[in-house]
């Protein structure tokens, strides 16, 4: 894990120094609520920090950057299940020497049947020839018909907020502001998260445990009680956990769902990175 962390920091430093485009790709899957279809809804969330893009002068004190993003989901045989190319443009700057340049994000939801996939994102700086970044993620989708299970965990930059919006940035009646790449930078005191629990046993309270751990062992944990799971629909799991004095590093964040007898029903984990020396890139919320 230390090797992965060193590589992450080296990549971040190289991005700033060489002004190469950086791409953060998050992939999360949720149960498809159309129960006739055995599969999942996959959320692709790509964030491009503005510090790695080339800004061209468009008018006096007006500079603009552009990133061409291609998202693909490939089947096991290499055939595309989904493909889309968009051009992302961060806000116009009046001064390109500014230390902080706004990132730009793009999110897509794709319904897929069960199977093995590769999610691929390719990023090209529109104003810098030969500059391209590619990120791949392996994805396995398998429907569970009987036992309780959790969706992927979505790490958030701020608490989930109630919302009646029906767009790609809302789930379960909540607006989600994702933490791109699970990255928590300078000034961050706690993490926020969202997940969905499916097929939970009816008529009994459940214990929900949260834990942040490193290679050296447990670092932070909390527990709460879920009095009644939703019947016939997902139960939203939202919360926060203080980071406290945890130093810079990579950590595993885990959610456990246990019954009244303390038996483990389901668990899910994800990786988060804390980096105290720099600010995290912000993610779009609409």
């Amino acid at each position: 894990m230390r090797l992965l962390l060193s590589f992450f920091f080296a990549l971040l430093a190289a991005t700033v120094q060489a002004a190469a485009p950086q791409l953060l790709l998050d992939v999360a899957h949720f149960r498809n609520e159309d129960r006739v279809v055995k599969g999942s809804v996959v959320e692709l969330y790509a964030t491009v920090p503005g510090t790695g893009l080339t800004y061209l002068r468009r008018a006096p004190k007006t500079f603009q950057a552009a990133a061409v993003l291609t998202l693909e989901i490939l089947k096991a045989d290499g055939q595309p299940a989904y493909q889309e190319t968009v051009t992302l443009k961060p806000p116009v700057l009046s001064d390109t020497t500014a230390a902080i340049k706004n990132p730009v994000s793009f999110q897509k939801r794709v319904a897929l049947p069960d199977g093995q996939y590769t999610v691929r994102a390719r990023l090209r700086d529109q104003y810098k020839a030969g500059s391209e970044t590619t990120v791949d993620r392996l994805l396995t989708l398998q429907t569970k018909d009987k036992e309780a299970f959790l969706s992927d965990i979505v790490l958030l930059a701020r608490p989930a907020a109630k919302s009646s919006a029906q767009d790609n940035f809302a789930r379960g009646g909540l607006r989600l502001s994702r933490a791109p790449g699970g990255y928590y930078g300078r000034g961050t005191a706690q993490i926020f998260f969202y997940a969905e629990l499916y097929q939970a046993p009816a008529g009994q309270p459940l214990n929900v445990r949260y834990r942040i751990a490193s290679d050296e062992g447990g670092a932070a944990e909390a527990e709460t009680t879920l009095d009644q799971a939703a019947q016939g629909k997902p139960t939203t799991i939202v919360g926060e956990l203080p980071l406290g004095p945890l130093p810079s590093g990579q950590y595993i964040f885990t959610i456990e769902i246990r019954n009244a007898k303390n038996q483990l029903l389901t668990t899910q984990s994800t990786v988060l990175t804390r980096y105290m020396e720099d600010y995290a890139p912000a993610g779009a919320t609409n």
Side-chain angles (χ1 to χ4, degrees):
M1 188 174 290
R2 292 191 183 92
L3 179 61
L4 290 174
L5 180 61
S6 299
F7 175 77
F8 179 87
F9 291 156
L11 176 62
L12 185 64
T15 298
V16 174
Q17 294 171 3
Q22 185 187 9
L23 173 61
L24 301 174
L25 175 65
D26 296 289
V27 181
H29 71 277
F30 301 85
R31 187 180 68 182
N32 192 332
E33 291 310 298
D34 183 353
R35 304 306 300 277
V36 177
V37 180
K38 284 187 175 295
S40 302
V41 173
V42 178
E43 292 193 353
L44 311 178
Y45 188 72
T47 301
V48 182
T51 52
L53 296 175
T54 303
Y55 284 77
L56 290 187
R57 182 178 179 181
R58 294 303 186 188
K61 293 186 177 181
T62 301
F63 298 86
Q64 179 74 66
V68 180
L69 173 68
T70 298
L71 290 175
E72 294 179 296
I73 300 179
L74 305 175
K75 301 176 185 178
D77 61 4
Q79 294 299 310
Y82 156 79
Q83 184 180 58
E84 184 172 359
T85 299
V86 295
T87 299
L88 306 178
K89 294 184 177 182
V92 173
L93 296 180
S94 60
D95 180 7
T96 59
T97 63
I100 299 177
K101 297 180 175 65
N102 290 324
V104 60
S105 299
F106 178 78
Q107 181 164 314
K108 187 73 176 185
R109 286 180 177 164
V110 183
L112 294 172
D114 289 349
Q116 301 281 340
Y117 300 90
T118 298
V119 180
R120 177 168 298 157
R122 296 197 307 272
L123 176 70
R124 176 174 58 85
D125 189 331
Q126 186 166 295
Y127 302 134
K128 186 177 182 180
S131 179
E132 184 171 293
T133 300
T134 301
V135 177
D136 284 354
R137 296 279 188 272
L138 297 179
L139 178 64
T140 299
L141 302 180
Q142 183 177 6
T143 300
K144 298 180 181 180
D145 294 322
K146 296 180 180 180
E147 70 269 25
F149 69 99
L150 280 165
S151 70
D152 286 337
I153 300 170
V154 178
L155 293 173
L156 306 175
R158 58 180 65 94
K162 290 185 178 180
S163 174
S164 59
Q166 301 292 323
D167 58 33
N168 283 348
F169 296 92
R171 284 200 69 89
L174 299 170
R175 177 153 297 272
L176 308 180
S177 177
R178 285 158 173 77
Y183 179 72
Y184 291 89
R186 182 177 175 183
T188 304
Q190 54 196 343
I191 69 167
F192 305 93
F193 51 88
Y194 174 94
E196 293 179 359
L197 173 63
Y198 309 107
Q199 298 168 181
Q204 61 175 282
L206 301 174
N207 293 323
V208 186
R209 296 181 180 178
Y210 313 119
R211 183 175 67 256
I212 297 176
S214 65
D215 281 345
E216 288 70 33
E221 59 184 358
E223 183 174 338
T224 187
T225 300
L226 182 64
D227 292 327
Q228 182 66 49
Q231 297 301 303
K233 61 181 181 178
T235 300
T236 56
I237 305 294
V238 294
E240 58 189 75
L241 196 60
L243 288 168
L246 295 182
S248 295
Q250 244 184 6
Y251 297 87
I252 302 296
F253 174 62
T254 301
I255 298 177
E256 293 182 353
I257 307 295
R258 294 178 175 268
N259 63 16
K261 297 181 180 180
N262 201 35
Q263 297 170 321
L264 180 65
L265 299 179
T266 183
T267 184
Q268 188 63 267
S269 297
T270 190
V271 177
L272 67 90
T273 300
R274 193 179 199 197
Y275 188 44
M276 303 292 288
E277 287 69 32
D278 201 0
Y279 291 100
T285 58
N286 52 47

